[in-house]
Amino acid sequence: MSRSWFAVLPAVLLAACASTVAGPAPAPSTPPPPPPALTAEQAFGDLTTIDYCSLLDLDAAGAAGAKNVKSVLPAPDQCSALTTVDGKEALLTVGGLGGKTADPDRTADATAKTLGDGLKIESTGYGSPDECRRYLTFADGTHLAASVALTGDDNTVDQREDLCKVEDAVLDGLVADVTARKAGHLTFPAGGIGTIDACTVVPDVLAIAPPALADGMKPVPALTRHHCTWLDLTDYSQIEFSLDYGNLPGRSDVRIANRPTVTMPGDTGCALATDLGPSPVRGFHQFAQLFVRPSDNATDACTVAKTIAAATWPKLPANA
């Protein structure tokens, strides 16, 4: 059945009336430009004194399954706290601010929620049965990590799901605090490692290391002054020198430049550490650590590390 003209006519008259009274059609509005991406400097201010413990949400971690939190350590380059997950000791960690070329194993996390302010979540690109780690990355590639890792050796893949629940809560708290600019700052005592630029202490390691290791290595720009890294992005060989708070993981077994030193050989490299005296955090010490990871089996990582340490340890502050 056709519509009645009596029903159509009023609508036509109204449209005609409206077109007669109305002026020119307004120009389409231009949407406002998106806000500029948040930078690390805007989020944190001074990048060398960040109090990462102000970004570690222990309440959220507890609600997600982290129990008996203790030994919270605000250190120059990260904040860590001992806890238990599924009855096993674990370490919660937030920090390690790095530039675009640091942590080259970062990859997009397809499961992560979409963030604003130019921020995104990245993962390590591989799974570990005893650790869950992801990165909060700024638009320019600057990033920091949130991780939950078991500290024992009797771990199974089955525990990773619970670790990642805690890590997810820690990461959510990190994102909230970073976007709200809630980062606090540490004050380092004069003469302590917090006031030292690690890159001016360590010598030219690429001139000391054997060519088989040094060739292809490039320095990774240091956003904080607490560590220096040299990396080959082709084979991932690495040399890293860092200054931190904590306690040495064992007794010294060698003296280098007249300093007691702990040697920690591993499957992929070798680390050396020496105690630099009490830190501002009660119960913990200052220490320096040197790590060498070659890409071939022919290079003795511990021998290279000891050679570099012999030139570095004399420049460190005296053990107070």
Side-chain angles (χ1 to χ4, degrees), residues 8-28:
V8 174
L9 184 60
V12 173
L13 293 175
L14 283 174
C17 182
S19 63
T20 302
V21 175

Side-chain angles (χ1 to χ4, degrees), residues 5-283:
W5 278 104
F6 292 103
V8 174
L9 184 60
V12 173
L13 293 175
L14 283 174
C17 182
S19 63
T20 302
V21 175
S29 59
T30 302
L38 179 66
T39 67
E41 288 81 1
Q42 291 170 337
F44 302 123
D46 184 356
L47 301 183
T48 69
T49 60
I50 300 170
D51 179 4
Y52 293 103
C53 286
S54 66
L55 307 173
L56 176 55
D57 191 335
L58 294 176
D59 290 336
K67 306 301 180 185
N68 307 315
V69 175
K70 59 182 179 180
S71 299
V72 179
L73 175 57
D77 212 37
Q78 64 184 19
C79 176
S80 58
L82 280 176
T83 184
T84 57
V85 177
D86 290 340
K88 293 192 175 182
E89 189 174 87
L91 191 68
L92 311 181
T93 306
V94 163
L97 187 71
K100 181 178 181 179
T101 57
D103 305 300
D105 60 347
R106 289 179 293 119
T107 185
D109 189 332
T111 66
K113 65 186 71 174
T114 301
L115 305 179
D117 295 314
L119 300 171
K120 62 182 178 181
I121 303 298
E122 295 182 307
S123 66
T124 59
Y126 58 86
S128 170
D130 57 3
E131 181 181 25
C132 200
R133 171 185 293 268
R134 284 186 293 173
Y135 301 89
L136 175 60
T137 303
F138 294 83
D140 64 354
T142 302
H143 58 278
L144 66 167
S147 71
V148 182
L150 297 178
T151 60
D153 296 326
D154 57 338
N155 307 323
T156 67
V157 177
D158 295 338
Q159 293 164 300
R160 190 170 191 272
E161 181 178 353
D162 290 337
L163 292 176
C164 290
K165 287 180 182 177
V166 177
E167 187 273 345
D168 195 47
V170 170
L171 186 63
D172 281 348
L174 176 61
V175 171
D177 289 343
V178 166
T179 54
R181 282 93 157 157
K182 286 188 175 180
H185 288 268
L186 300 174
T187 300
F188 299 117
I193 63 170
T195 63
I196 298 173
D197 186 340
C199 296
T200 64
V201 173
V202 68
D204 184 357
V205 299
L206 300 186
I208 298 174
L213 177 63
D215 288 350
M217 276 191 171
K218 303 292 183 184
V220 175
L223 300 181
T224 72
R225 57 182 170 221
H226 311 303
H227 67 272
C228 274
T229 304
W230 295 261
L231 183 67
D232 187 327
L233 290 174
T234 302
D235 59 23
Y236 294 133
S237 54
Q238 178 181 350
I239 299 173
E240 183 165 11
F241 173 69
S242 58
L243 299 167
D244 214 337
Y245 297 164
N247 288 308
L248 296 186
R251 294 176 178 240
S252 61
D253 57 288
V254 65
R255 295 187 75 85
I256 298 177
N258 204 33
R259 285 182 179 270
T261 302
V262 179
T263 306
M264 295 169 283
D267 294 337
T268 61
C270 183
L272 303 177
T274 187
D275 193 306
L276 303 178
S279 79
V281 184
R282 185 176 179 180

